[in-house]
Amino acid sequence: MQYAPALGDTVEDIQRQTIGRVMGFVGPYVQLRPVDGGREWDARREWLRPVSLTEALSAGVAAANARSRGERS
């Protein structure tokens, strides 16, 4: 059974190897935004997998650390 993300879920786009938050749905695509904000991208549903709470928190901490160093993750 294919994973069906819901609005607001935190998922990994396995094609980009990037964790993002589900912002919307357009046709066969799910619109994702990086956990630290920024530009959305489109991913196909079959490219997505749910992430654990640990993975989601780790992505958020990594983004916060990058911001504190003046980087953009």
Side-chain angles (χ1 to χ4, degrees), residues 32-54:
L32 302 173
R33 178 171 287 155
V35 292
D36 64 334
R39 188 178 179 126
E40 291 183 2
W41 76 93
D42 293 333
R44 296 189 66 87
R45 292 174 199 266
E46 60 267 19
W47 298 344
L48 303 180
R49 74 166 185 88
V51 296
S52 68
L53 179 58
T54 301

Side-chain angles (χ1 to χ4, degrees), residues 23-36:
M23 303 305 290
F25 305 92
V26 176
Y29 296 99
V30 178
Q31 295 175 314
L32 302 173
R33 178 171 287 155
V35 292
D36 64 334

Side-chain angles (χ1 to χ4, degrees), residues 7-24:
L7 202 59
D9 281 357
T10 303
V11 298
E12 180 183 14
D13 175 346
I14 60 174
Q15 289 291 101
R16 291 178 59 154
Q17 297 181 343
T18 304
I19 293 178
R21 191 158 290 120
V22 176
M23 303 305 290

